[in-house]
Amino acid sequence: MFNKIEKVCDIRSVLGEGPCWDSVKNKIYWVDIIKKNIHFFDFNSNKSETIELNKFVGSIGLRKNGGIIAALEDGFYFIEDKSKTKKLIIKVDENINKKRFNDGKVDCLGNFWAGSVSYEENLPIGILYCLTNDFKFKKALDNITISNGITWSLDNKKMYFIDTPTLKVDVFDFDIYENKIFNRKVAFEIPKNLGFPDGMTIDVEGKLWIAHWGNSKVFRWDPTTKKIIDKIDIPAIRVSSCTFGGKNLDNLFITTAQRGFAENIEDYSEKDSGYIYMIQTKTRGLDTFRFDN
């Protein structure tokens, strides 16, 4: 089903995460949480650039009017990719010295959802927030240990969500106009031998592509049958997230890590870990939604 997997560029992250495709500029963005950087690769010029932030960066989204919205360790920021400057939107005081932001994504109406995690990654004190496109700030879910994969069903009536240590993919009813999630259920469970579910995206057939941390794979899951229907082998153990991109939105971009945030020993023994990879699939994803303020 798949062509050969390949590295996008030579940038090597310690903890690569949050890939985000810009179909207008033909760029792929991603973050290195530990190094506090945003990276992007321009397929028009075949050049990569880095934005240094001096704060842990959990996730990013694109803005409709240009630039980036980012969930940094202490709040939400606008980032200008040309000037590489940042501007605070909302500070999240309860994060300071306790938590940082992790995975996040923009929904189809241009609202930014991002979840937090304790620095130790073992305390259920994380919160999933929604920053609306008119700058209202809401708490949508609490008691999260490691807030990770977020995506929405094709009709935007469901939201899928991953709290990694639970080894489950949960599904909520989603009120897109009120920015509310409710009626939480388990969509399916992940067998422990398959690694930990991390970042996630959806394709045009409604199937979920999930990065499995610790198992060198991205699995394609059918949320209706709760079965794996395909897999991609990745040349790194710690697979963190994935998103669709490319001219036809049929390339899957996959981030990997050399180590996790809370790991004490830096493990650089895997020579192919920490890179962002791409592989062409036989399906397509959705275009990236943008924060619309």
Side-chain angles (χ1 to χ4, degrees):
M1 178 179 180
F2 303 110
N3 293 326
K4 184 179 179 181
I5 193 166
E6 56 184 298
K7 286 195 299 185
V8 172
C9 62
D10 290 330
I11 291 178
R12 192 182 188 201
S13 300
V14 177
L15 178 49
E17 260 284 9
C20 187
W21 173 254
D22 187 338
S23 59
V24 175
K25 296 181 179 180
N26 206 27
K27 293 179 180 180
I28 183 69
Y29 293 79
W30 70 103
V31 307
D32 185 339
I33 296 176
I34 293 177
K35 287 275 188 79
K36 306 177 181 179
N37 292 333
I38 296 173
H39 302 295
F40 59 91
F41 182 82
D42 187 332
F43 282 86
N44 294 325
S45 64
N46 287 318
K47 293 182 179 179
S48 58
E49 290 190 47
T50 296
I51 303 172
E52 298 179 357
L53 298 169
N54 300 314
K55 292 179 182 289
F56 296 118
V57 51
S59 51
I60 57 174
L62 301 179
R63 294 167 57 196
K64 186 175 182 179
N65 296 328
I68 300 165
I69 185 169
L72 305 190
E73 61 188 59
D74 59 348
F76 293 91
Y77 289 76
F78 283 155
I79 312 291
E80 299 301 330
D81 51 355
K82 289 185 178 180
S83 63
K84 301 185 179 181
T85 57
K86 61 180 183 289
K87 177 183 178 181
L88 177 66
I89 307 168
I90 292 179
K91 193 172 185 179
V92 182
D93 290 328
E94 60 190 321
N95 271 23
I96 297 173
N97 299 323
K98 295 180 181 179
K99 295 180 285 185
R100 62 176 178 84
F101 273 103
N102 207 48
D103 210 356
K105 197 168 288 184
V106 177
D107 69 26
C108 71
L109 290 187
N111 308 299
F112 188 43
W113 297 71
S116 59
V117 57
S118 70
Y119 283 107
E120 299 82 8
E121 296 186 339
N122 59 4
L123 301 174
I125 61 173
I127 297 173
L128 179 64
Y129 299 91
C130 176
L131 177 63
T132 67
N133 54 25
D134 56 356
F135 299 103
K136 294 178 182 177
F137 186 54
K138 301 181 179 182
K139 294 182 182 181
L141 187 67
D142 57 11
N143 297 317
I144 303 166
T145 302
I146 303 179
S147 185
N148 256 317
I150 303 170
T151 197
W152 292 270
S153 60
L154 299 180
D155 61 6
N156 292 297
K157 293 182 178 180
K158 303 287 183 182
M159 187 181 86
Y160 296 98
F161 174 77
I162 292 171
D163 183 354
T164 292
T166 67
L167 295 172
K168 297 174 183 177
V169 177
D170 290 331
V171 60
F172 296 83
D173 289 331
F174 180 56
D175 187 330
I176 190 171
Y177 298 107
E178 296 295 329
N179 314 115
K180 292 181 180 178
I181 54 175
F182 53 98
N183 293 339
R184 184 177 189 171
K185 298 178 182 178
V186 176
F188 53 90
E189 298 188 23
I190 308 292
K192 193 171 184 179
N193 66 306
L194 296 184
F196 290 94
D198 202 320
M200 170 173 57
T201 192
I202 195 167
D203 63 30
V204 293
E205 300 170 55
K207 305 302 188 290
L208 301 178
W209 297 71
I210 302 176
H212 283 236
W213 180 277
N215 195 31
S216 302
K217 289 179 179 61
V218 171
F219 286 103
R220 187 187 189 209
W221 288 85
D222 186 328
T224 302
T225 64
K226 306 180 181 183
K227 301 292 185 182
I228 295 171
I229 53 179
D230 226 320
K231 68 178 182 179
I232 299 174
D233 293 312
I234 312 299
I237 292 174
R238 299 170 180 87
V239 187
S240 56
S241 193
C242 57
T243 196
F244 282 95
K247 182 179 179 180
N248 299 313
L249 295 175
D250 59 353
N251 286 328
L252 192 69
F253 291 91
I254 304 149
T255 51
T256 68
Q258 297 178 65
R259 68 177 177 98
F261 188 91
E263 290 180 283
N264 294 321
I265 300 174
E266 295 191 18
D267 180 6
Y268 295 94
S269 59
E270 279 190 292
K271 65 181 179 66
D272 293 319
S273 65
Y275 295 104
I276 182 169
Y277 292 91
M278 59 181 277
I279 188 168
Q280 189 174 26
T281 71
K282 297 298 183 182
T283 188
R284 295 169 45 246
L286 307 179
D287 200 3
T288 304
F289 299 129
R290 294 170 182 258
F291 185 80
D292 182 8
N293 57 304

